[in-house]
Amino acid sequence: MEKKYKVGIIGATGMVGQRFITLLSDHPWFNITALAASSRSAGKTYEEALGGRWVMSSPLPEKIKSMAVFDAVSDINKIAESVDFVFCAVDMKKDEIKALEEAYAKAECPVISNNSANRFTPDVPMIIPELNNDHIKVIDAQKKRLGTKRGFIAVKSNCSLQSYVPALYPLDNAFGVKDVLVCTYQAISGAGKTFERWPEMTDNVIPYIGGEEEKSEKEPLKIWGRLENGEIVSASDPKFTAQCLRVPVTDGHMAAVFVRFNKKPSKDEIIDIWNNFSGRPQELNLPHAPKHFLNYFTEDNMPQTKLNRDLEGGMAVSIGRLREDSQYDYKFVCLSHNTLRGAAGGGVLLAELLCAEGYIEPKNQ
């Protein structure tokens, strides 16, 4: 029998919270039993708390409309008792998020976080499930520090990284990735916005996204890192430099990547590695795992945001335009869906991995 889990969504009214609802409302393992948001929404039904701000293209599921919304901060114990784990996607200050997630973990409630607050806590794994799934072993050390039996925090990485880091990671094992220059072209949903709510983005590009370039240069090194003495120690290579631009697109982050290797491969060798790459989620056949994680397009004008962002339910990465470069070894472009693979979908896949590997067990089974 498949195990069934009761799950909560903390930050349920925001864009990522809404995306979690669409992904979980018919999930084969996970059943939404608690929704939480700010004190303004607490005590209302979910539909009332939304106040007409549902921005997903699919309709709000009927069974969710009438669910009562908890207070994310003052109802921690109540929520922790009623669920097996929570997804967290709140809009608060970083130190408040850190404290909130730790409070849930200490209440013996595992937290799968979409937030950046705990990404550099040394014993909190930051995981792209196909790449560094072995980092989940650090959870044992984290539980010791927190003094918990089942409570812990696991995070997913920044959404824009998930377009290009998956393309680079398997190449590093074979050829040693040395230097990476990346320019990202990021959708407005990454800021939790729609064109209706952000009209100045129409016909516009903004060459700055607060904190994004630092994350793009630093976070990959934790993904490349190693487990040592109960902590994830970030790698010192490859070296990353990034520029991040906001572009007038609803969903889908694109990246233009320039890469230098220790041992320069042929173009065919690179494409072969991409086409044949799979990870632990594919091996375990997890519900949200794409069959083909990395997909290389041979046409010059592909991938395109509008055409390819939803590939494999928005959980696959599209790659194209691989060619030699005059300053670096190669250049190419990548694309992924920022609120699916990059945010909520990546969180759901991480939760599936943790459940399949026995790090989260249902309390009453």
Side-chain angles (χ1 to χ4, degrees):
M1 188 187 99
E2 256 178 11
K3 291 176 183 173
K4 301 286 184 188
Y5 299 80
K6 293 177 178 171
V7 305
I9 302 169
I10 315 301
T13 54
M15 189 178 272
V16 176
Q18 292 180 30
R19 182 64 83 182
F20 273 122
I21 285 169
T22 65
L23 293 174
L24 296 171
S25 56
D26 292 310
H27 195 281
W29 303 355
F30 304 152
N31 181 32
I32 302 168
T33 57
L35 300 171
S38 68
S39 54
R40 289 190 309 277
S41 300
K44 297 176 180 174
T45 67
Y46 184 69
E47 193 171 27
E48 287 166 351
L50 272 181
R53 286 176 296 118
W54 181 257
V55 296
M56 297 292 110
S57 55
S58 55
L60 172 58
E62 282 301 319
K63 61 184 175 186
I64 301 295
K65 283 182 183 176
S66 56
M67 279 182 76
V69 177
F70 289 101
D71 186 317
V73 178
S74 59
D75 291 332
I76 290 173
N77 289 330
K78 220 181 279 181
I79 294 164
E81 280 163 24
S82 69
V83 300
D84 295 312
F85 68 93
V86 295
F87 293 101
C88 187
V90 291
D91 184 10
M92 293 161 71
K93 289 186 182 127
K94 211 169 245 194
D95 54 345
E96 291 171 357
I97 295 172
K98 218 170 177 178
L100 182 74
E101 291 181 347
E102 198 156 296
Y104 275 94
K106 284 182 170 168
E108 297 295 359
C109 180
V111 178
I112 312 300
S113 176
N114 191 74
N115 304 106
S116 64
N118 270 302
R119 283 185 196 153
F120 285 97
T121 306
D123 58 10
V124 169
M126 179 172 69
I127 292 173
I128 297 177
E130 283 86 352
L131 307 186
N132 60 331
N133 61 293
D134 57 317
H135 284 191
I136 60 177
K137 293 178 191 139
V138 80
I139 287 168
D140 299 327
Q142 187 196 143
K143 283 182 183 169
K144 254 184 216 151
R145 172 176 66 87
L146 296 172
T148 57
K149 285 191 174 67
R150 66 188 302 280
F152 65 86
I153 302 160
V155 300
K156 50 149 282 302
S157 73
N158 179 269
C159 51
S160 65
L161 260 66
Q162 306 208 36
S163 60
Y164 60 90
V165 166
L168 292 165
Y169 195 88
L171 299 178
D172 185 53
N173 294 335
F175 311 109
V177 173
K178 195 174 161 194
D179 301 303
V180 179
L181 182 154
V182 61
C183 297
T184 60
Y185 305 88
Q186 301 185 205
I188 63 169
S189 57
K193 300 275 180 61
T194 60
F195 283 115
E196 291 72 34
R197 283 159 56 197
W198 200 4
E200 59 268 39
M201 267 313 299
T202 304
D203 192 30
N204 196 17
V205 170
I206 297 176
Y208 174 70
I209 305 170
E212 199 75 8
E213 285 154 2
E214 294 82 352
K215 290 175 195 169
S216 301
E217 292 172 358
K218 199 176 161 196
E219 286 187 24
L221 298 174
K222 184 167 180 179
I223 293 163
W224 253 272
R226 66 192 185 280
L227 190 49
E228 212 172 87
N229 303 322
E231 294 184 352
I232 306 290
V233 180
S234 289
S236 52
D237 290 307
K239 302 280 187 281
F240 282 84
T241 183
Q243 286 224 88
C244 301
L245 290 77
R246 188 73 72 193
V247 295
V249 161
T250 52
D251 296 303
H253 288 353
M254 190 172 268
V257 184
F258 299 77
V259 59
R260 200 175 279 128
F261 295 97
N262 291 326
K263 190 178 112 210
K264 186 179 175 179
S266 72
K267 192 174 165 181
D268 287 344
E269 284 175 313
I270 294 174
I271 294 169
D272 195 51
I273 284 174
W274 285 338
N275 285 338
N276 292 298
F277 180 73
S278 69
R280 188 71 176 139
Q282 286 72 30
E283 205 179 296
L284 292 166
N285 199 24
L286 299 177
H288 274 83
K291 294 279 177 284
H292 296 285
F293 180 35
L294 306 178
N295 298 266
Y296 185 73
F297 291 82
T298 54
E299 303 90 336
D300 285 341
N301 62 347
M302 300 287 273
Q304 292 180 22
T305 304
K306 203 170 183 176
L307 299 180
N308 305 111
R309 62 188 165 202
D310 292 316
L311 187 63
E312 294 222 39
M315 291 299 288
V317 172
S318 301
I319 313 169
R321 302 209 66 214
L322 175 67
R323 59 226 193 272
E324 291 197 45
D325 184 63
S326 59
Q327 293 177 30
Y328 285 72
D329 289 332
Y330 285 97
K331 53 192 167 192
F332 56 91
V333 295
C334 289
L335 169 74
S336 67
H337 196 302
N338 57 298
T339 70
L340 287 166
R341 168 53 75 166
V348 171
L349 187 62
L350 173 53
E352 290 169 359
L353 176 71
L354 289 162
C355 291
E357 300 284 27
Y359 282 83
I360 303 175
E361 291 289 352
K363 284 189 282 202
N364 305 316
Q365 256 187 32

